[in-house]
C-alpha cells in the first residue's frame, strides 16, 4: 500500500466574514512542492484576504490551513506567522531602505556560519551578484523585485505566498522578470501560491489556476483547461474579449447566424448563451464571394460586413455586422490582414470551440454544443 504524502499547502473550508459579508467563502485548495498555484480574480474578490489567512496575519472564521499535513490554523490552533515556514512577497517589495542588498537578503537568516554563503548563492541565482553592497534606492524596480524574491527565499520556506508581485513593474520588464522568477521558484522546489488579477500573468506562470469570484473558487485547473472549458460566461469573459450570441430555444434548437444549434432537453423559451472567443471566428477566404458550403466541422458559414477593422500589430481586430440578424461579432485575424470597411465576407466557426450555456433552475449549466 502506498501512502500519498500531504500537499505542501492545503486549506480546507476557509471562510472569513467582515461585517455581514463572507469575503472568503468556504475555500478549499492545495498546492504541492514545486507547483505554482495562482489565485486569479477581479479586485475585491478576496484573494489577499485568503493569502493573509494562510500567512497567519489574519485568522479565519472557519476552516483549516495545513502545511505538509501540520495544522497551522483551525478552530483552536493558530501558529504565529513567523513560525509557519512561509515566505511572503508583496507588490511593494518592502525592502529595508537602510540595509544593503546583502543585508536585506540575509535579514531573516540565523547568524550561522553559512549565512554569507546562502546570501551569495541567492545573489547569484537572481543575477545580482555585483549588487551586494548597494542600497535599495540605488536599484531599478526590476532589481528590487529580484532582491525581494531572494529575501523571501533565503530561509528556504516550503511555501511562498506572492501578492501581485509584478504589478509594480513596467510592462516590458515584467515578462522577463516573470520568466526569471518562475525558473528560480522551480529550481527551489517551493510550493507557491500567487495572487493576481491579470489572466495573462496567471496563464504564463501557473500550473494551476484557481479562479475566484465573490470569495469563492468558481473554477480550478491548468491554464489550457480553464481557458478552453470555462464553467460559465463570466469565466470565459475573464480571459478574453468574447462574442455573445443570445438566443431562445425553439423546438429543441436555437437559431444563430451560423445555423441551428441543437439544444436537446431544453424547454422552449430557455435562454441560451453561445460564447465565442474572437480568435475562434475565422474569416473564410476560400469561400470569399461564394455561397455557403457547410461542413460538419465548420458548420454553416455566415455572411457579415466589415463595420470596423483595427490593426493591432501582431493581429487585427475586425468587427462584423451579421446579415442574419444585424448582430455584431468580433474576430481577430493575423495582422497582415486588414479588410476595408463595408467589405462583405464569410465567417465560419468551429462548433467545438463555442461554449454553450443556458440559464436553468440549477443556475448556469454547460450544455454540449452540437450541429
Ligand atoms: P483582493 O485582494 O481580491 O482585491 P481583498 O481580499 O483585499 O480582495 O478584499 C476583499 C474584500 O474584503 C474587499 O471588499 C475589502 O474591502 C474587504 N476587506 C478586506 N479586509 C477587510 C477588513 N479588515 N475589514 C473589512 N473589510 C475588509
Ligand atoms: Mg489584493
Amino acid at each position: 500500500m502506498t501512502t500519498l504524502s500531504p500537499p505542501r499547502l492545503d486549506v480546507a473550508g476557509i471562510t472569513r466574514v467582515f461585517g455581514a459579508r463572507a469575503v472568503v467563502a468556504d475555500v478549499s485548495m492545495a498546492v504541492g512542492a514545486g507547483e505554482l498555484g495562482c489565485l486569479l480574480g477581479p479586485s475585491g474578490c478576496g484573494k489577499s484576504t485568503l493569502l493573509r489567512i494562510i500567512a497567519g496575519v489574519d485568522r479565519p472564521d472557519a476552516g483549516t490551513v495545513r502545511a505538509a499535513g501540520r495544522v497551522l490554523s483551525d478552530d483552536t490552533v493558530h501558529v504565529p506567522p513567523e513560525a509557519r515556514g512561509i515566505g511572503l512577497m508583496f507588490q511593494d517589495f518592502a525592502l529595508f531602505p537602510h540595509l544593503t542588498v546583502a543585508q536585506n537578503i540575509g535579514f531573516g537568516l540565523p547568524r550561522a556560519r553559512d549565512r554569507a554563503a546562502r546570501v551569495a548563492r541567492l545573489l547569484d541565482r537572481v543575477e545580482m551578484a555585483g549588487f551586494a553592497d548597494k542600497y535599495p534606492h540605488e536599484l531599478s524596480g526590476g532589481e528590487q523585485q529580484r532582491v525581494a524574491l531572494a529575501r523571501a527565499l533565503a530561509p528556504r520556506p516550503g511555501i511562498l505566498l506572492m501578492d501581485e508581485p509584478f504589478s509594480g513593474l513596467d510592462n516590458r520588464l515584467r515578462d522577463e522578470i516573470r520568466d526569471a522568477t518562475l525558473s528560480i521558484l522551480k529550481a527551489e522546489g517551493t510550493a507557491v501560491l500567487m495572487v493576481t488579477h491579470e489572466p495573462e500573468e496567471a496563464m504564463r506562470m501557473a500550473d494551476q489556476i484557481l479562479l475566484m469570484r465573490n470569495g469563492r473558487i468558481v473554477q480550478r485547473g491548468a491554464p489550457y483547461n480553464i481557458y478552453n472549458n470555462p464553467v460559465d460566461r463570466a469565466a470565459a469573459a475573464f480571459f478574453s474579449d468574447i462574442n455573445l450570441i443570445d438566443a431562445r430555444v425553439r423546438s429543441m434548437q436555437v437559431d444563430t447566424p451560423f445555423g441551428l444549434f441543437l439544444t436537446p432537453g431544453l424547454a422552449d423559451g430557455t435562454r441560451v448563451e453561445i460564447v465565442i472567443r474572437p480568435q475562434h471566428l475565422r474569416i473564410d477566404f476560400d469561400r470569399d464571394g461564394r455561397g455557403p458550403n457547410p461542413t460538419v466541422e465548420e458548420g454553416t458559414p455566415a455572411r457579415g460586413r466589415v463595420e470596423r477593422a483595427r490593426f493591432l500589430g501582431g493581429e487585427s481586430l475586425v468587427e462584423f455586422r451579421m446579415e442574419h440578424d444585424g448582430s455584431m461579432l468580433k474576430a481577430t485575424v493575423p495582422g497582415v490582414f486588414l479588410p476595408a470597411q463595408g467589405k462583405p465576407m464569410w465567417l465560419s466557426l468551429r462548433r467545438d470551440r463555442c461554449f454553450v450555456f443556458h440559464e436553468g433552475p440549477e443556475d448556469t449549466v454547460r450544455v454540449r454544443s452540437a450541429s
Side-chain angles (χ1 to χ4, degrees):
M1 227 171 78
T2 53
T3 327
L4 286 176
S5 56
R8 251 328 153 66
L9 170 68
D10 140 48
V11 313
I14 294 289
T15 295
R16 182 73 173 104
V17 179
F18 291 125
R21 189 160 68 104
V23 160
V24 175
D26 194 22
V27 166
S28 299
M29 51 138 309
V31 186
E35 195 192 353
L36 194 147
C38 201
L39 290 171
L40 173 66
S43 180
C45 74
K47 306 181 296 296
S48 294
T49 302
L50 179 59
L51 224 58
R52 289 164 51 79
I53 287 168
I54 296 169
V57 295
D58 190 13
R59 294 186 69 158
D61 293 299
T64 309
V65 178
R66 288 189 198 84
R70 171 188 169 223
V71 173
L72 299 179
S73 271
D74 66 9
D75 293 344
T76 52
V77 177
H78 180 75
V79 176
E82 62 278 8
R84 292 193 169 203
I86 294 181
L88 303 172
M89 192 174 155
F90 296 108
Q91 174 178 349
D92 57 4
F93 312 142
L95 297 175
F96 304 115
H98 59 293
L99 298 182
T100 65
V101 164
Q103 287 166 339
N104 262 283
I105 295 172
F107 185 80
L109 296 178
R111 263 176 212 291
R113 257 175 301 144
D114 65 353
R115 177 157 81 166
R118 174 72 178 154
V119 170
R121 203 178 134 264
L122 281 161
L123 274 170
D124 235 23
R125 180 152 272 182
V126 298
E127 296 177 14
M128 293 285 289
F131 292 75
D133 298 324
K134 295 237 190 268
Y135 285 87
H137 74 268
E138 299 174 277
L139 307 177
S140 70
E143 289 161 356
Q144 289 184 31
Q145 196 274 354
R146 284 185 274 163
V147 175
L149 178 65
R151 185 180 62 179
L153 291 173
R156 294 194 173 83
I159 297 166
L160 178 65
L161 306 177
M162 303 200 293
D163 198 345
E164 312 258 2
F166 308 105
S167 55
L169 305 170
D170 58 64
N171 267 338
R172 193 163 312 230
L173 194 60
R174 224 181 318 187
D175 286 348
E176 202 178 303
I177 290 184
R178 279 177 189 143
D179 291 348
T181 302
L182 197 56
S183 50
I184 292 164
L185 292 172
K186 292 288 174 191
E188 294 278 322
T190 319
V192 183
L193 184 60
M194 185 179 105
V195 160
T196 182
H197 63 274
E198 287 181 43
E200 297 80 21
E201 180 161 288
M203 302 234 278
R204 194 175 179 112
M205 306 271 306
D207 298 300
Q208 179 194 187
I209 292 178
L210 304 139
L211 186 62
M212 276 186 85
R213 193 187 305 152
N214 299 329
R216 294 182 182 277
I217 294 178
V218 292
Q219 191 172 9
R220 65 186 79 211
Y224 182 91
N225 294 334
I226 220 164
Y227 187 90
N228 289 305
N229 200 13
V231 281
D232 56 23
R233 184 185 72 176
F238 200 74
F239 287 88
S240 79
D241 235 355
I242 56 166
N243 291 296
L244 188 62
I245 298 175
D246 216 329
R248 284 197 188 271
V249 174
R250 257 191 23 221
S251 313
M252 286 193 279
Q253 51 194 22
V254 293
D255 184 24
T256 82
F258 301 95
L260 294 168
F261 278 55
L262 297 185
T263 52
L266 293 188
D268 272 15
T270 306
R271 212 177 122 226
V272 171
E273 293 177 328
I274 301 173
V275 173
I276 307 151
R277 298 201 192 278
Q279 68 269 31
H280 291 150
L281 273 178
R282 284 232 334 258
I283 294 176
D284 206 333
F285 295 104
D286 296 344
R287 271 182 219 121
D288 201 11
R290 284 185 287 128
N293 173 27
T295 65
V296 173
E297 197 183 52
E298 308 264 326
T300 312
R303 198 164 155 90
R305 240 169 234 287
V306 176
E307 182 102 351
R308 190 166 20 194
R310 277 168 292 176
F311 177 68
L312 304 174
E315 57 187 27
S316 295
L317 179 63
V318 187
E319 289 173 70
F320 291 92
R321 186 166 299 279
M322 305 310 293
E323 253 170 33
H324 178 77
D325 55 3
S327 62
M328 294 287 292
L329 292 176
K330 291 174 274 203
T332 47
V333 295
V336 288
F337 175 72
L338 192 68
Q341 196 184 349
K343 186 172 165 63
M345 305 189 90
W346 290 100
L347 290 180
S348 67
L349 173 66
R350 272 185 52 178
R351 294 197 172 196
D352 57 355
R353 296 277 168 81
C354 298
F355 311 126
V356 184
F357 305 108
H358 71 87
E359 240 98 62
E362 64 283 36
D363 201 7
T364 308
V365 178
R366 177 87 197 272
V367 295
R368 262 194 31 238
S369 87
S371 32

